[in-house]
């Protein structure tokens, strides 16, 4: 009884999550990489406009919060006194200046960086300076946004021709294999008919 109830509950959860999974994520699950044809023209235009203007300096400073903690590792007595480790919290859902496609891609690419509140988390303890660690977090954020804003490229003509040629060769090989197999079976039949 309990097992049946748990199975039903698991099936309900699976159906619910399948309806929630975004289209791009379903493409990754199916093994097919996203192509430029899967993105709407409005999204492509918005991404291109965004990429023209976007740089590290255009990230609004009011969009993230910084917290400081004591950094680990070597550093002597100084490391135990000064809070140089930087945690940056960036509320991804509230960022209307980032196109929706880019936000969705960031959630897919870097899902492990997003906490339960939907905040994108970055940390840096690269140096023993607060200012340099803040700059490092900004660099990381810029790189992640820039990577998510890259549009997928279609295959080149050379690749398309190579794939067609390989398909043609494979088809010919399969036909030849079937003929050989058929001849082998036919030769066996002739032996029994005599």
């Amino acid at each position: 009884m309990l097992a049946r109830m748990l199975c039903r509950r698991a099936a309900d959860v699976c159906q619910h999550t399948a309806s929630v999974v975004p289209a791009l994520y379903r493409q990754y699950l199916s093994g097919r990489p996203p192509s430029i044809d899967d993105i709407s023209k409005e999204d492509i235009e918005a991404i291109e406009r965004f990429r023209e203007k976007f740089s590290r300096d255009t990230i609004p400073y009011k969009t993230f919060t910084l917290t400081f903690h004591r950094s680990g590792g070597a550093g002597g007595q100084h490391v135990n006194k000064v809070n140089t480790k930087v945690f940056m919290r960036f509320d991804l859902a509230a960022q209307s200046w980032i196109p929706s496609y880019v936000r969705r891609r960031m959630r897919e690419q870097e899902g492990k960086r997003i906490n339960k509140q939907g905040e994108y988390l970055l940390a840096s303890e690269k140096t023993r300076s607060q200012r340099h660690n803040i700059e490092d977090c900004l660099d990381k954020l810029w790189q992640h946004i820039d990577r998510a804003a890259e549009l997928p490229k279609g295959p080149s003509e050379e690749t398309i021709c190579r794939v067609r040629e390989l398909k043609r060769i494979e088809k010919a090989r399969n036909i030849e294999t079937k003929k050989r197999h058929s001849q082998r079976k036919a030769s066996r039949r002739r032996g029994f008919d005599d």
Side-chain angles (χ1 to χ4, degrees), residues 28-173:
Y28 282 121
L29 291 178
S30 67
R32 186 172 73 88
S35 71
I36 197 76
D37 301 331
D38 299 327
I39 307 167
S40 68
K41 291 189 187 266
E42 296 84 26
D43 281 342
I44 291 173
E45 291 169 2
I47 293 166
E48 287 172 350
R49 282 193 309 269
F50 175 73
R51 286 195 63 124
E52 286 174 8
K53 298 176 187 175
F54 182 64
S55 70
R56 185 182 166 280
D57 299 329
T58 59
I59 297 173
Y61 286 97
K62 292 182 179 180
T63 60
F64 55 83
T65 57
L66 299 172
T67 55
F68 305 101
H69 301 279
R70 295 220 168 94
S71 187
Q77 292 177 355
H78 179 69
V79 78
N80 298 326
K81 297 177 189 174
V82 183
N83 295 329
T84 56
K85 184 176 184 178
V86 175
F87 277 106
M88 179 185 285
R89 295 176 183 275
F90 183 73
D91 188 8
L92 195 56
Q95 307 309 321
S96 59
W97 58 276
I98 300 176
S100 61
Y101 173 82
V102 176
R103 285 181 285 177
R104 191 170 50 238
R105 291 273 297 173
M106 285 179 74
R107 278 192 296 274
E108 291 167 1
Q109 290 176 348
E110 302 287 339
K112 63 184 179 286
R113 292 186 180 274
I114 298 174
N115 65 9
K116 290 179 182 176
Q117 290 79 30
E119 296 173 324
Y120 197 80
L121 303 175
L122 292 167
S124 177
E125 55 180 337
K126 195 173 183 178
T127 66
R128 295 289 173 237
S129 165
Q130 236 181 45
R131 185 173 52 88
H132 290 119
N133 286 338
I134 292 171
E135 296 295 320
D136 186 45
C137 277
L138 279 172
D139 285 339
K140 287 179 184 179
L141 180 63
W142 174 71
Q143 289 170 356
H144 292 197
I145 294 172
D146 193 48
R147 188 177 332 123
E150 288 178 0
L151 290 170
K153 296 179 180 90
S156 66
E157 282 297 320
E158 180 182 326
T159 305
I160 292 170
C161 289
R162 193 173 81 228
V163 167
R164 279 189 198 136
E165 182 66 20
L166 289 173
K167 282 182 180 179
R168 187 188 62 75
I169 291 169
E170 182 67 23
K171 192 173 182 180
R173 186 181 303 139

